[in-house]
Amino acid sequence: IRRLARLRNDNGCLKTGYYKTMLAQGDVFCCLRYLIDGKDFFGNETNGSERVVLLINRGDEPCYLSVDDLGSELTVQQVNHAFVSLTDSFIVRGIKGGKTTCGLPPKSFAFCIL
């Protein structure tokens, strides 16, 4: 809980940033919280990262997400270095079917800090 609270406090976009659902399919959910020109939804300047992506797998099986399926907000370079897991879960990144893919274990979540 402390790590999650610290992540929220260190990244203003998680408090008052804009919101966009990137993927909601079956047991997999992915959303984006972001700032525009360093300002939150209310037009106030805020601290921390410009964008944070949350990936959730609530299912009983691992899930694999192609970066291409998540839209233009997330690039291959960002996926390769920006993941923060607050659980003991292992996050897989690699190439699957010619596409850059990230994998989440069952019942896990991860943040991608951009």
Side-chain angles (χ1 to χ4, degrees), residues 55-59 85 87 89-91 103-110:
L55 298 162
I56 299 172
N57 177 11
R58 70 176 190 169
S85 177
T87 63
S89 302
F90 181 69
I91 302 161
L104 287 173
K107 309 273 192 245
S108 67
F109 65 95

Side-chain angles (χ1 to χ4, degrees), residues 23-37:
L23 179 70
Q25 187 175 25
D27 289 324
V28 179
F29 179 76
C30 179
C31 69
L32 171 70
R33 294 296 302 258
Y34 63 99
L35 306 175
I36 296 178
D37 297 326

Side-chain angles (χ1 to χ4, degrees), residues 4-113:
L4 188 58
R6 186 176 335 129
L7 181 69
R8 184 176 183 270
N9 287 333
D10 290 347
N11 295 284
C13 66
L14 290 174
K15 296 181 201 174
T16 55
Y18 293 86
Y19 172 87
K20 179 179 180 182
T21 299
M22 298 171 69
L23 179 70
Q25 187 175 25
D27 289 324
V28 179
F29 179 76
C30 179
C31 69
L32 171 70
R33 294 296 302 258
Y34 63 99
L35 306 175
I36 296 178
D37 297 326
K39 295 185 178 179
D40 68 8
F41 181 79
F42 301 102
N44 301 318
E45 289 191 18
T46 188
N47 65 320
S49 300
E50 290 280 319
R51 298 181 298 160
V52 175
V53 175
L54 170 63
L55 298 162
I56 299 172
N57 177 11
R58 70 176 190 169
D60 295 325
E61 299 293 325
C63 72
Y64 299 93
L65 303 169
S66 166
V67 175
D68 300 331
D69 295 339
L70 298 178
S72 60
E73 289 85 1
L74 193 60
T75 67
V76 172
Q77 292 80 15
Q78 292 165 337
V79 167
N80 286 334
H81 81 290
F83 273 101
V84 175
S85 177
L86 299 180
T87 63
D88 294 329
S89 302
F90 181 69
I91 302 161
V92 178
R93 293 180 296 278
I95 305 294
K96 183 177 180 182
K99 294 183 177 183
T100 299
T101 303
C102 56
L104 287 173
K107 309 273 192 245
S108 67
F109 65 95
F111 290 92
C112 188
I113 311 293

